[in-house]
Amino acid sequence: YIDDILILCKSSEKEDIKEKIFYDIKRNCMLTMNEKKFKEGYLLTETFTFLGYSTVINNSEFLLSIPENKINDMQNRIVDKITKYNRTKNIKGNIKARESFIFEFNLMITGALSKKVTIDTLKTRRYGWIFFYSQLTNLTILYTLDAFIDKKLKEYFLKDELTYLQNNIKSFSRAHYESKYN
């Protein structure tokens, strides 16, 4: 069954559409609508969150964005990975720590593709944050996350290692472009 519905319509049609949908859901699906979870508004004046995306209105332009709490979660993941690597990089015998850190960090940014071959088909699955937000149109968030990574790297690392990391860590903005167009 469907538990999330988004209807975009003219305000003059809103009540008729709402009435028909409520009726169809009750009659055909034998479900009742939870009026407390029902929200209505005007697209170009109110923001909303739906299926993991939020909306932003910027100069009368409607943009799909990422909810603030999800951005904060990603920033916390970034800081956690950098902190963990910074603590373990100088442990004796941890020679591959930097390359492992870069691989895991880039995987967090770019996501992953998995190919599954069956007798009839080849299926590619896309995993990760950047693939989930592939419909994003508010691209400033990606550049903000890239700047956040650069700032944190500068806080934690000295010149030689900082340069190496900056040259080898991927960017959210490029990963988004590649996931969408390549």
Side-chain angles (χ1 to χ4, degrees):
Y1 71 99
I2 298 170
D3 63 354
D4 295 311
I5 300 170
L6 175 64
I7 300 165
L8 304 174
C9 64
K10 294 178 184 176
S11 58
S12 60
E13 300 169 348
K14 180 180 70 164
E15 288 305 317
D16 284 344
I17 291 171
K18 178 180 167 184
E19 201 174 291
K20 286 177 185 174
I21 288 175
F22 276 41
Y23 177 77
D24 283 346
I25 288 173
K26 186 173 185 175
R27 184 172 165 256
N28 297 332
C29 302
M30 291 181 253
L31 296 171
T32 56
M33 296 290 286
N34 185 344
E35 293 282 343
K36 292 176 187 171
K37 292 186 176 184
F38 180 81
K39 183 180 176 186
E40 57 187 81
Y42 296 97
L43 194 58
L44 292 178
T45 59
E46 298 177 36
T47 61
F48 63 93
T49 300
F50 186 73
L51 296 178
Y53 282 85
S54 63
T55 61
V56 173
I57 293 111
N58 186 11
N59 297 328
S60 297
E61 184 180 14
F62 179 81
L63 300 172
L64 289 177
S65 193
I66 301 171
E68 194 66 36
N69 65 322
K70 298 300 180 187
I71 296 167
N72 292 337
D73 289 349
M74 180 53 75
Q75 288 175 329
N76 289 335
R77 286 179 63 198
I78 289 166
V79 171
D80 288 347
K81 285 221 180 285
I82 291 172
T83 304
K84 182 181 174 188
Y85 167 62
N86 196 38
R87 275 185 279 165
T88 61
K89 68 180 179 174
N90 294 323
I91 295 173
K92 186 178 177 182
N94 201 357
I95 299 166
K96 295 187 178 187
R98 181 165 62 183
E99 296 311 312
S100 179
F101 165 71
I102 291 170
F103 175 79
E104 289 178 21
F105 204 84
N106 284 339
L107 190 61
M108 178 181 66
I109 292 170
T110 63
L113 294 174
S114 173
K115 294 187 179 197
K116 183 178 180 181
V117 180
T118 63
I119 294 172
D120 300 326
T121 62
L122 169 66
K123 290 184 181 179
T124 302
R125 291 187 174 261
R126 300 163 14 139
Y127 298 96
W129 200 78
I130 205 74
F131 289 118
F132 183 81
Y133 290 111
S134 63
Q135 301 303 310
L136 181 72
T137 56
N138 182 16
L139 302 180
T140 57
I141 290 172
L142 303 174
Y143 294 106
T144 302
L145 285 169
D146 291 340
F148 181 80
I149 290 171
D150 196 52
K151 176 184 170 194
K152 291 301 172 186
L153 291 175
K154 287 175 181 173
E155 283 179 23
Y156 283 87
F157 302 105
L158 300 175
K159 188 177 180 181
D160 289 340
E161 187 163 27
L162 174 63
T163 302
Y164 185 82
L165 292 173
Q166 286 173 324
N167 290 335
N168 288 283
I169 289 178
K170 311 271 186 203
S171 74
F172 279 100
S173 52
R174 182 66 185 186
H176 179 265
Y177 178 86
E178 292 295 329
S179 73
K180 198 162 174 104
Y181 301 107
N182 292 327

mmCIF file of all heavy atoms in Angstrom, residues 97-113:
data_model
loop_
_atom_site.group_PDB
_atom_site.id
_atom_site.type_symbol
_atom_site.label_atom_id
_atom_site.label_comp_id
_atom_site.label_asym_id
_atom_site.label_seq_id
_atom_site.Cartn_x
_atom_site.Cartn_y
_atom_site.Cartn_z
ATOM 1 N N ALA A 97 46.990 2.662 6.803
ATOM 2 C CA ALA A 97 45.900 3.442 7.386
ATOM 3 C C ALA A 97 45.443 4.576 6.463
ATOM 4 O O ALA A 97 44.247 4.796 6.304
ATOM 5 C CB ALA A 97 46.305 4.007 8.740
ATOM 6 N N ARG A 98 46.397 5.283 5.870
ATOM 7 C CA ARG A 98 46.014 6.423 5.021
ATOM 8 C C ARG A 98 45.247 5.968 3.787
ATOM 9 O O ARG A 98 44.215 6.546 3.456
ATOM 10 C CB ARG A 98 47.246 7.234 4.618
ATOM 11 C CG ARG A 98 46.859 8.430 3.753
ATOM 12 C CD ARG A 98 47.929 9.460 3.604
ATOM 13 N NE ARG A 98 49.098 8.899 2.962
ATOM 14 C CZ ARG A 98 50.217 9.584 2.749
ATOM 15 N NH1 ARG A 98 50.302 10.838 3.132
ATOM 16 N NH2 ARG A 98 51.242 9.026 2.159
ATOM 17 N N GLU A 99 45.731 4.936 3.118
ATOM 18 C CA GLU A 99 45.034 4.456 1.917
ATOM 19 C C GLU A 99 43.668 3.879 2.261
ATOM 20 O O GLU A 99 42.706 4.065 1.509
ATOM 21 C CB GLU A 99 45.892 3.434 1.168
ATOM 22 C CG GLU A 99 47.197 4.001 0.626
ATOM 23 C CD GLU A 99 47.037 5.309 -0.145
ATOM 24 O OE1 GLU A 99 46.148 5.391 -1.018
ATOM 25 O OE2 GLU A 99 47.784 6.259 0.141
ATOM 26 N N SER A 100 43.568 3.210 3.383
ATOM 27 C CA SER A 100 42.289 2.678 3.836
ATOM 28 C C SER A 100 41.319 3.824 4.153
ATOM 29 O O SER A 100 40.145 3.779 3.795
ATOM 30 C CB SER A 100 42.495 1.800 5.063
ATOM 31 O OG SER A 100 41.275 1.312 5.526
ATOM 32 N N PHE A 101 41.827 4.849 4.823
ATOM 33 C CA PHE A 101 41.017 6.027 5.143
ATOM 34 C C PHE A 101 40.493 6.678 3.863
ATOM 35 O O PHE A 101 39.303 6.981 3.749
ATOM 36 C CB PHE A 101 41.830 7.039 5.953
ATOM 37 C CG PHE A 101 41.220 8.405 6.019
ATOM 38 C CD1 PHE A 101 40.064 8.644 6.759
ATOM 39 C CD2 PHE A 101 41.787 9.463 5.314
ATOM 40 C CE1 PHE A 101 39.496 9.903 6.807
ATOM 41 C CE2 PHE A 101 41.217 10.730 5.357
ATOM 42 C CZ PHE A 101 40.073 10.950 6.111
ATOM 43 N N ILE A 102 41.367 6.890 2.896
ATOM 44 C CA ILE A 102 40.974 7.530 1.637
ATOM 45 C C ILE A 102 39.925 6.687 0.922
ATOM 46 O O ILE A 102 38.921 7.217 0.427
ATOM 47 C CB ILE A 102 42.201 7.788 0.736
ATOM 48 C CG1 ILE A 102 43.072 8.889 1.362
ATOM 49 C CG2 ILE A 102 41.783 8.165 -0.679
ATOM 50 C CD1 ILE A 102 44.422 9.066 0.699
ATOM 51 N N PHE A 103 40.120 5.378 0.877
ATOM 52 C CA PHE A 103 39.157 4.499 0.218
ATOM 53 C C PHE A 103 37.792 4.590 0.895
ATOM 54 O O PHE A 103 36.768 4.794 0.237
ATOM 55 C CB PHE A 103 39.652 3.048 0.228
ATOM 56 C CG PHE A 103 38.653 2.084 -0.328
ATOM 57 C CD1 PHE A 103 38.490 1.946 -1.701
ATOM 58 C CD2 PHE A 103 37.852 1.327 0.515
ATOM 59 C CE1 PHE A 103 37.549 1.071 -2.230
ATOM 60 C CE2 PHE A 103 36.910 0.448 0.007
ATOM 61 C CZ PHE A 103 36.757 0.319 -1.372
ATOM 62 N N GLU A 104 37.749 4.454 2.211
ATOM 63 C CA GLU A 104 36.480 4.509 2.948
ATOM 64 C C GLU A 104 35.829 5.893 2.851
ATOM 65 O O GLU A 104 34.609 6.008 2.726
ATOM 66 C CB GLU A 104 36.700 4.142 4.413
ATOM 67 C CG GLU A 104 37.001 2.682 4.631
ATOM 68 C CD GLU A 104 37.272 2.357 6.088
ATOM 69 O OE1 GLU A 104 36.856 3.144 6.972
ATOM 70 O OE2 GLU A 104 37.885 1.309 6.344
ATOM 71 N N PHE A 105 36.634 6.937 2.916
ATOM 72 C CA PHE A 105 36.118 8.300 2.840
ATOM 73 C C PHE A 105 35.504 8.551 1.460
ATOM 74 O O PHE A 105 34.405 9.093 1.349
ATOM 75 C CB PHE A 105 37.256 9.288 3.115
ATOM 76 C CG PHE A 105 36.792 10.618 3.619
ATOM 77 C CD1 PHE A 105 36.531 10.809 4.969
ATOM 78 C CD2 PHE A 105 36.635 11.689 2.765
ATOM 79 C CE1 PHE A 105 36.096 12.035 5.451
ATOM 80 C CE2 PHE A 105 36.205 12.921 3.224
ATOM 81 C CZ PHE A 105 35.937 13.094 4.572
ATOM 82 N N ASN A 106 36.203 8.123 0.421
ATOM 83 C CA ASN A 106 35.689 8.293 -0.943
ATOM 84 C C ASN A 106 34.433 7.465 -1.175
ATOM 85 O O ASN A 106 33.523 7.899 -1.877
ATOM 86 C CB ASN A 106 36.760 7.948 -1.973
ATOM 87 C CG ASN A 106 37.800 9.041 -2.090
ATOM 88 O OD1 ASN A 106 37.558 10.188 -1.730
ATOM 89 N ND2 ASN A 106 38.964 8.686 -2.577
ATOM 90 N N LEU A 107 34.375 6.295 -0.570
ATOM 91 C CA LEU A 107 33.182 5.450 -0.682
ATOM 92 C C LEU A 107 31.984 6.143 -0.031
ATOM 93 O O LEU A 107 30.870 6.107 -0.558
ATOM 94 C CB LEU A 107 33.443 4.090 -0.041
ATOM 95 C CG LEU A 107 32.409 3.012 -0.259
ATOM 96 C CD1 LEU A 107 32.262 2.700 -1.750
ATOM 97 C CD2 LEU A 107 32.809 1.747 0.488
ATOM 98 N N MET A 108 32.223 6.799 1.105
ATOM 99 C CA MET A 108 31.168 7.547 1.784
ATOM 100 C C MET A 108 30.664 8.681 0.878
ATOM 101 O O MET A 108 29.472 8.962 0.814
ATOM 102 C CB MET A 108 31.693 8.114 3.103
ATOM 103 C CG MET A 108 30.700 8.940 3.880
ATOM 104 S SD MET A 108 31.385 9.594 5.416
ATOM 105 C CE MET A 108 32.634 10.713 4.821
ATOM 106 N N ILE A 109 31.555 9.317 0.162
ATOM 107 C CA ILE A 109 31.189 10.444 -0.703
ATOM 108 C C ILE A 109 30.521 9.962 -1.985
ATOM 109 O O ILE A 109 29.461 10.453 -2.373
ATOM 110 C CB ILE A 109 32.432 11.299 -1.040
ATOM 111 C CG1 ILE A 109 32.938 12.001 0.222
ATOM 112 C CG2 ILE A 109 32.120 12.310 -2.140
ATOM 113 C CD1 ILE A 109 34.284 12.667 0.069
ATOM 114 N N THR A 110 31.129 8.998 -2.650
ATOM 115 C CA THR A 110 30.678 8.626 -3.992
ATOM 116 C C THR A 110 29.640 7.523 -4.027
ATOM 117 O O THR A 110 28.967 7.341 -5.044
ATOM 118 C CB THR A 110 31.872 8.155 -4.849
ATOM 119 O OG1 THR A 110 32.436 6.981 -4.270
ATOM 120 C CG2 THR A 110 32.914 9.244 -4.974
ATOM 121 N N GLY A 111 29.527 6.755 -2.958
ATOM 122 C CA GLY A 111 28.637 5.603 -2.992
ATOM 123 C C GLY A 111 29.304 4.463 -3.737
ATOM 124 O O GLY A 111 30.512 4.493 -3.994
ATOM 125 N N ALA A 112 28.529 3.466 -4.114
ATOM 126 C CA ALA A 112 29.087 2.295 -4.785
ATOM 127 C C ALA A 112 28.096 1.741 -5.785
ATOM 128 O O ALA A 112 26.887 1.886 -5.634
ATOM 129 C CB ALA A 112 29.434 1.223 -3.748
ATOM 130 N N LEU A 113 28.640 1.092 -6.793
ATOM 131 C CA LEU A 113 27.838 0.373 -7.768
ATOM 132 C C LEU A 113 28.096 -1.107 -7.572
ATOM 133 O O LEU A 113 29.228 -1.522 -7.332
ATOM 134 C CB LEU A 113 28.236 0.755 -9.199
ATOM 135 C CG LEU A 113 27.968 2.186 -9.613
ATOM 136 C CD1 LEU A 113 28.548 2.438 -11.005
ATOM 137 C CD2 LEU A 113 26.488 2.477 -9.623
#
